[in-house]
Amino acid sequence: MTTSPTQAPLSAGRTDPLLGLDLARPDLHHTLELQGVFADLRREHPVSWHGPKSRPGFWSVTRYADVLRVHRDTATFTATHGMTIDSVGPAPDPASGMMVEVTDPPEHRRLRRAIGGFFGDGAVAAMAPDVEALVRRLLDAVRDRDRPVDFVAEVATRLPTQVGGLLLGLPPDDLDWISERTAQVFLSGTAVEDGRVVDLDAQATRANEELLGYFSKLVRSGRRRTGRRGLVQQLAEGTASRDGLTKGEVILNALNMAIAGTQTTRHSLGNMLLAFVQFPETFRAVCREPELVATAVEESVRWANPVRHLTRVANRDVELGGRLVRAGDPLVLWQISANRDEQVFPMAHLFDVRRHPNPHIGFATGAHSCPGSGLARLQMRTVLKVMTELFSGVEAAGAPELVRSNFLHGYERLPVRFIDRDEEEC
């Protein structure tokens, strides 16, 4: 690697600007608002070394342009070593080459092509009537109660679980069991429950193993939802073809879609509602102008990224943000910071339901952009549309409780009270 006479020399030093702060600690994200920390990093240290603390050291990437570059340069920055701070390591992930999220091109394209048709515009549009029926049933039940509800429990968890069951073709009786375990997969750290300390890392490992066993048995036994050929069945039927997936690949990708599809959408829905609680005038604006539903959904994903970060490992020595990243170094891409980058999003601290353009990367970008983002958007748009038909506003009915995770950004509990349109107009 050479430096031209007009270029400043690259910094090879690994000085940690956050010596007293451990961004890998889930408790930190559970208790503190870190947007101020990320704003300082974007301004002063957009690519900075985060020394070994509770996890081995990594490069923290906080600026939009740098995060975008890493996402799009799959030759230089590999996804095969894991996708989270807790899982990334020097050795490739055991699922690399088989699961789409931890596989690089060109092999990634084969896996993506196998599942991509299930998430195309036509496939998503075909699910719209089912999604709307589910949303109306859930929100009608909320309206009938005429009292505060936990939005996460009553809507944000149930909707993507039911939609995921329809998409994957899962037995309806299994959905609650699956939902409970997908919610545990990305938990980390410890928590106190009923006066005792619970090891959330062990709980997450156990949940992942149980889900892997479930999907392995499901694929191999052929037991699936009756009356509808879901994604799992159709992928499994294609395993004998040259371009199809092996049974192992079907199992791993079904597991990945079950986890990502339920949890990303669950937290996107909860984050969206909390934004409307915090900025009540925006709910009234969408209520009066239904055409704002689409831009409001995009803004809610930008405003509160459902995934805090993703990880990569450098394949070679490379310059990034004026720093020298060595081959083998892990990088943590803080999407939750990139989506608040003031150089890309004017007045980034404001929740603006009219924001356009809005090139957020809440569902990642490039080869590893979320294949299910269209289905997630459909669910979010439908919930917002129906909410503004039934209600004129929403307000807090208790303190929200964040998920204890350094990876997911969302809520375990979100107590709210909806204001019926019969009580008050928009």
Side-chain angles (χ1 to χ4, degrees):
M1 181 180 297
T2 59
T3 304
S4 73
T6 58
Q7 288 177 317
L10 294 179
S11 172
R14 299 199 171 192
T15 303
D16 186 344
L18 299 178
L19 280 175
L21 212 59
D22 182 0
L23 293 178
R25 275 187 53 227
D27 286 353
L28 191 71
H29 299 273
H30 185 254
T31 56
L32 294 180
E33 168 55 65
L34 295 174
Q35 284 296 351
V37 173
F38 286 126
D40 290 342
L41 287 174
R42 286 194 302 272
R43 183 173 57 253
E44 304 292 340
H45 308 281
V47 178
S48 62
W49 180 248
H50 186 284
K53 296 164 188 172
S54 61
R55 291 289 186 268
F58 55 82
W59 291 101
S60 241
V61 187
T62 56
R63 192 170 53 186
Y64 183 93
D66 297 321
V67 171
L68 199 68
R69 175 185 165 191
V70 174
H71 270 302
R72 292 181 174 176
D73 187 353
T74 57
T76 302
F77 304 101
T78 178
T80 60
H81 289 245
M83 59 186 291
T84 74
I85 290 175
D86 294 336
S87 64
V88 69
D93 188 284
S96 65
M98 296 184 290
M99 191 167 77
V100 68
E101 290 298 325
V102 288
T103 300
D104 291 335
E107 188 65 7
H108 175 273
R109 286 191 283 273
R110 179 183 68 86
L111 297 171
R112 180 88 178 210
R113 189 165 55 244
I115 65 175
F118 295 92
F119 297 101
D121 292 344
V124 171
M127 292 195 71
D130 288 330
V131 171
E132 177 149 0
L134 285 167
V135 169
R136 289 195 178 277
R137 186 163 71 245
L138 292 171
L139 289 176
D140 281 341
V142 166
R143 189 186 193 191
D144 290 344
R145 291 183 189 184
D146 193 29
R147 58 178 171 78
V149 296
D150 178 0
F151 182 78
V152 171
E154 301 300 329
V155 179
T157 297
R158 292 183 179 182
L159 176 62
T161 298
Q162 294 291 329
V163 171
L166 288 173
L167 175 72
L168 295 171
L170 303 177
D173 291 345
D174 297 349
L175 295 182
D176 287 343
W177 184 92
I178 292 169
S179 178
E180 289 173 6
R181 280 147 186 81
T182 58
Q184 297 170 359
V185 167
F186 293 117
L187 297 179
S188 50
T190 60
V192 177
E193 297 179 3
D194 299 325
R196 62 187 181 89
V197 176
V198 177
D199 184 343
L200 297 181
D201 292 297
Q203 194 176 92
T205 299
R206 185 166 56 252
N208 192 69
E209 290 172 350
E210 289 177 349
L211 285 166
L212 186 60
Y214 171 86
F215 279 101
S216 178
K217 184 177 180 181
L218 186 73
V219 169
R220 297 182 192 284
S221 71
R223 175 180 169 261
R224 287 173 281 276
R225 186 186 190 105
T226 57
R228 185 173 187 138
R229 291 173 67 252
L231 186 150
V232 174
Q233 182 176 354
Q234 293 184 57
L235 287 179
E237 288 171 352
T239 56
S241 71
R242 182 173 56 85
D243 295 325
L245 303 185
T246 66
K247 275 189 166 57
E249 289 169 342
V250 173
I251 292 164
L252 287 169
N253 286 286
L255 169 66
N256 180 57
M257 285 181 282
I259 295 170
T262 56
Q263 295 309 302
T264 302
T265 307
R266 167 192 168 182
H267 295 307
S268 295
L269 287 166
N271 294 342
M272 177 175 72
L273 192 73
L274 186 59
F276 287 118
V277 169
Q278 294 174 334
F279 301 89
E281 70 283 358
T282 59
F283 190 94
R284 290 192 290 269
V286 179
C287 189
R288 291 190 298 266
E289 303 173 58
E291 64 272 17
L292 292 176
V293 164
T295 54
V297 163
E298 298 306 315
E299 178 68 347
S300 69
V301 177
R302 181 200 73 85
W303 172 257
N305 227 82
V307 170
R308 297 181 185 276
H309 73 265
L310 289 169
T311 56
R312 297 291 186 267
V313 168
N315 278 329
R316 61 179 177 85
D317 290 2
V318 63
E319 175 276 330
L320 184 69
R323 307 303 297 273
L324 177 58
V325 177
R326 295 289 190 184
D329 284 352
L331 303 96
V332 175
L333 315 179
W334 293 105
Q335 296 178 187
I336 201 166
S337 170
N339 277 341
R340 293 286 188 97
D341 191 331
E342 303 82 354
Q343 296 182 26
V344 178
F345 304 99
M347 305 294 283
H349 62 288
L350 294 180
F351 178 68
D352 180 4
V353 295
R354 291 182 169 83
R355 189 180 295 276
H356 183 78
N358 191 347
H360 71 78
I361 49 177
F363 294 120
T365 188
H368 286 92
S369 60
C370 175
S373 61
L375 186 56
R377 285 179 165 101
L378 170 66
Q379 293 175 75
M380 295 175 72
R381 289 195 301 263
T382 307
V383 167
L384 183 52
K385 178 178 81 76
V386 176
M387 276 199 310
T388 53
E389 291 173 2
L390 298 178
F391 309 110
S392 61
V394 59
E395 57 192 20
E401 180 184 337
L402 275 164
V403 168
R404 197 175 293 270
S405 172
N406 57 20
F407 178 68
L408 291 174
H409 178 213
Y411 294 86
E412 288 282 5
R413 294 180 64 255
L414 184 53
V416 297
R417 176 183 177 272
F418 286 100
I419 303 169
D420 198 287
R421 286 288 287 264
D422 293 339
E423 297 178 32
E424 181 182 307
E425 281 300 315
C426 299

